[in-house]
Amino acid sequence: MSTPMRSDEHWATYNSRQAARPIRDLCRRVIAIAGPAAGRVAVDLGCGAGRETREFLEAGWRVLAVDGEPGTEARLLRTIGGRHRALTIKITKFHNLYDLPGTDLVFAGYSLPFQPRDSFDRLWTLIRRSLHPGGRIAVDLFGDHDSWAGQPDMTFFSEPEVRALFDGLEIEYWAVEDAPGQAFSGPKHWHVFHVVARSA
């Protein structure tokens, strides 16, 4: 079984190879579901190389891009083609993230599972509190069938636990991946919940 590496050096290598990959499906879906951005605020948690950040900017969102890898800013600016008036970049690890602006959309593409449960729970509370009325969360969460399940510095959920995270929100999109596949570190079994949910 392959296991993830989570050093800054690993993430720098990983992100350097992501600039040309396709936009994640969940990003495209939530942009379509949310409708015209009209300058609304999106937060891209774990923005990495900035592929989805660029997509949000091009769709007219104002974006706060957050990532803990020290080389993120230079890499992201290369991806989007330089400074952008609607972009703010924040370099911080999730366990050091204690505030978010009021937001209309929080996107976290395959990023939130890479933290221990106590950090996840604190950040999830912060995310939900940051949402404006009608704001959306779009996230990929790892399930308990995933081949990395049990890693102590990661977070995994059963399906009922995932659904409980969205209590009080309207689930607008729900898909489950539970199949073998390929990770950056090699072959693995993926168990991922892809979710878009809207606040009241």
Side-chain angles (χ1 to χ4, degrees):
M1 178 183 70
S2 61
T3 56
M5 297 169 55
R6 288 172 291 276
S7 67
D8 285 342
E9 291 78 12
H10 167 77
W11 290 120
T13 301
Y14 173 84
N15 289 335
S16 69
R17 300 181 187 177
Q18 299 298 302
R21 68 161 168 75
I23 300 299
R24 296 198 189 282
D25 177 70
L26 192 67
C27 176
R28 293 192 187 280
R29 285 183 181 275
V30 73
I31 287 174
I33 290 169
R40 288 182 290 168
V41 175
V43 176
D44 186 355
L45 288 175
C47 62
R51 294 290 287 134
E52 286 69 40
T53 298
R54 185 172 71 181
E55 195 78 359
F56 284 118
L57 291 169
E58 291 178 351
W61 293 83
R62 291 185 290 131
V63 181
L64 170 62
V66 180
D67 202 285
E69 196 278 301
T72 293
E73 181 167 357
R75 187 173 295 108
L76 195 158
L77 292 178
R78 285 195 297 272
T79 299
I80 68 172
R83 297 282 174 183
H84 194 293
R85 59 181 177 79
L87 173 65
T88 302
I89 302 170
K90 186 178 184 73
I91 308 301
T92 187
K93 309 288 188 187
F94 285 162
H95 64 266
N96 290 325
L97 183 60
Y98 284 93
D99 65 285
L100 287 173
T103 186
D104 303 288
L105 195 162
V106 175
F107 175 79
Y110 290 87
S111 60
L112 294 186
F114 290 92
Q115 58 183 324
R117 182 61 188 266
D118 59 346
S119 176
F120 177 96
D121 289 345
R122 185 192 56 77
L123 183 54
W124 189 254
T125 299
L126 183 62
I127 289 168
R128 290 201 51 163
R129 286 178 179 167
S130 77
L131 288 180
H132 291 148
R136 289 175 170 86
I137 303 173
V139 293
D140 303 296
L141 300 172
F142 288 179
D144 52 5
H145 304 162
D146 197 279
S147 62
W148 289 338
Q151 294 291 315
D153 53 353
M154 295 181 66
T155 296
F156 304 86
F157 297 100
S158 66
E159 181 168 332
E161 288 173 328
V162 173
R163 291 191 180 276
L165 290 174
F166 296 95
D167 282 350
L169 303 179
E170 175 192 358
I171 293 178
E172 298 179 303
Y173 175 75
W174 173 278
V176 181
E177 179 182 357
D178 195 351
Q182 191 73 20
F184 181 68
S185 55
K188 71 180 293 285
H189 186 94
W190 289 103
H191 187 205
V192 187
F193 299 94
H194 311 281
V195 188
V196 176
R198 182 180 183 272
S199 67

